[in-house]
Amino acid sequence: MRWLRRNLVVIAGLGTLAYMILPNVVVTVFSFNNPAGRFNYAWQEFSLDAWKDPCGVADLCGSLALSLQIALWATIGATALGTAIAFALVRYRFRARGAVNSLIFLPMAMPEIVMAASLLALFLNMGIQLGFWTILIAHVMFCLSFVVAAVKARVLSMDPRLEEAARDLYAGPVQTFVRVTLPIAAPGIAAGALLSFALSFDDFIITNFNSGNTVTFPMFVWGSAQRGTPVQINVIGTAMFVIAVLVVLAGQMVGNRRKKAQPK
Amino acid sequence: MTGPAVETAPPQAPAPAEPPVHKASLRKRLIPYWLLLPGILWLLVFFVLPMVYQASTSVQTGSLEEGFEVTWHFRTYWDAFTEYYPQFLRSLLYAGTATVLCLLLGYPLAYLIAFKAGRWRGLLLVLVIAPFFTSFLIRTLAWKTILADGGPVVAVLNNLGFLDVTSWLGLTQGDRVLATPLAVVCGLTYNFLPFMILPLYSSLERIDTRLHEAAGDLYARPATVFRKVTFPLSMPGVVSGTLLTFIPASGDYVNAELLGSTDTRMIGNVIQSQYLRILDYPTAAALSFILMAIVLIMVTIYIRRAGTEDLV
């Protein structure tokens, strides 16, 4: 009883973790299922068919490739635009700073569906064909604020004396930026880029409104929830989980090694 | 008059050098604007302008066949609100419940990672972040399997008498969980947990653990240390976590669609079907503005009362 009380936080925390991991376990287990009907909701028998042929369903891998492509471009766009804004906000005092700050904050303080619907209103009014470009435009828009927040946090915690020191050692502004400022800001930029990629790749609500007939991976999954869910979806979900865990773990190991290499 | 003029002459000698200096500083002063320009332009064109278009759509009348026209028909707002206020109320109720549950479930895990995990910290963080990279739709569909009628989870809840209580509260129906409010709230809680845990963790991690020791030295019991030291210091995380959970949850329609029934429709479902199926654009636009107004007002009041200004 005493032990229970002392470890209450640990037990509750691990309970939450179990709640968070449970669906991933189910997705993985059901990727080895051989479903009886169109829906993969009840366990029938073990099978490796879906793993042998992950692209065996029409349009599945096409939608996956499209989502990756959009996520990549959206990340590049949002990271470039967002990093510039973050530097301007932290490093310079200028008029309209407050207004810019609110403009950056607003997209995060609004339910996604409001932005999704208003973008659709714009595209409809302008007669713009919905598809790849409208999805990309929307994704860059909503990822932007998250990049600004991530980069800003990093640049704010940066010691300005490091740049002064570089200047004292006769580094030009460009050299200072490339060799001192950028490397220090890099983790913030990387975090912003990673977040953009994940948000864009996984976005459903804004994409659903602005995609027209173009089918991204989340759109494919949504459609399959109505028409029948192929086991391949679980295979892709499992693979994505494993890859994500490996990538993030690798990133942390690199970060830890760096930290050890330069003790501060 | 000539005296001071002669006296000030020497400092004025390098005057010819001044214009270039001035030019350089002007160029320097313009740097932030050049940095801001592309991103801000993007937001103005694809975030602010759409809002203007939606505002104009909301006061139009007409139909898809005959075309829409701005008629300043503000009644649309009133009609939309009176027709769909149950869905508004339900959205706020579900999102609010999910937010409270996220806080109750997320806090111990964030605390565990920040203070007790030791060398497991990295792995636990990865497990919190990893869901961001696997499709949330696939994971939400997995809840259909987990909560399936007659499945193990439902059987256990039934045997514990939990479902009797929730049925009595109107959260479930008989021995079903799927297609009930409980399933929708469960899905919402699940989907937005990482958005609660990460801000909580980052504000907990910043707390100097010596403060805990100091409180202990002053004979504070663990519960008191938590109530008077840890929790107040984690307030920024609590505020941003609850906002990051409540705002998207209030507009969500995925959980209500996949895990709920027509009785659990949230306002997001209504806006989605008005825009994409019924094609009644004015009503849809009005509904989404009402939702935005409700959320912004609630968020503003909440931030005022919670008293944290340095959110972003």
Side-chain angles (χ1 to χ4, degrees), chain A residues 106-220:
Chain A
L106 266 178
M108 291 193 281
M110 209 165 274
E112 238 188 303
I113 194 165
V114 177
M115 287 190 279
S118 67
L119 260 173
L120 179 63
L122 173 86
F123 293 142
L124 285 175
N125 272 291
M126 309 265 271
I128 293 172
Q129 180 81 39
L130 298 176
F132 179 87
W133 291 104
T134 50
I135 301 174
L136 188 58
I137 284 171
H139 284 201
V140 171
M141 187 272 288
F142 78 78
C143 290
L144 194 56
S145 303
F146 290 93
V147 175
V148 175
V151 179
K152 230 173 95 180
R154 178 75 192 178
V155 180
L156 267 175
S157 66
M158 184 169 150
D159 192 343
R161 284 175 299 183
L162 290 170
E163 285 166 310
E164 280 164 32
R167 253 174 268 137
D168 287 347
L169 295 167
Y170 297 104
V174 176
Q175 220 179 347
T176 309
F177 183 77
V178 173
R179 315 242 344 219
V180 179
T181 315
L182 211 55
I184 300 177
I189 299 173
L194 215 59
L195 193 58
S196 295
F197 190 87
L199 288 173
S200 164
F201 185 77
D202 210 16
D203 179 74
F204 173 72
I205 293 182
I206 289 183
T207 314
N208 187 26
F209 272 77
N210 295 293
S211 61
N213 296 322
T214 310
V215 179
T216 63
F217 183 65
M219 298 286 300
F220 181 89

Side-chain angles (χ1 to χ4, degrees), chain B residues 9-31:
Chain B
Q12 272 179 0
E18 208 179 291
V21 171
H22 180 73
K23 222 186 210 166
S25 76
L26 182 74
R27 235 169 74 191
K28 220 172 195 174
R29 255 187 291 147
L30 282 177
I31 291 177

Side-chain angles (χ1 to χ4, degrees), chain B residues 139-157:
Chain B
R139 289 179 286 118
T140 308
L141 282 175
W143 278 104
K144 271 189 130 143
T145 308
I146 298 168
L147 299 176
D149 300 340
V153 173
V154 174
V156 168
L157 290 178

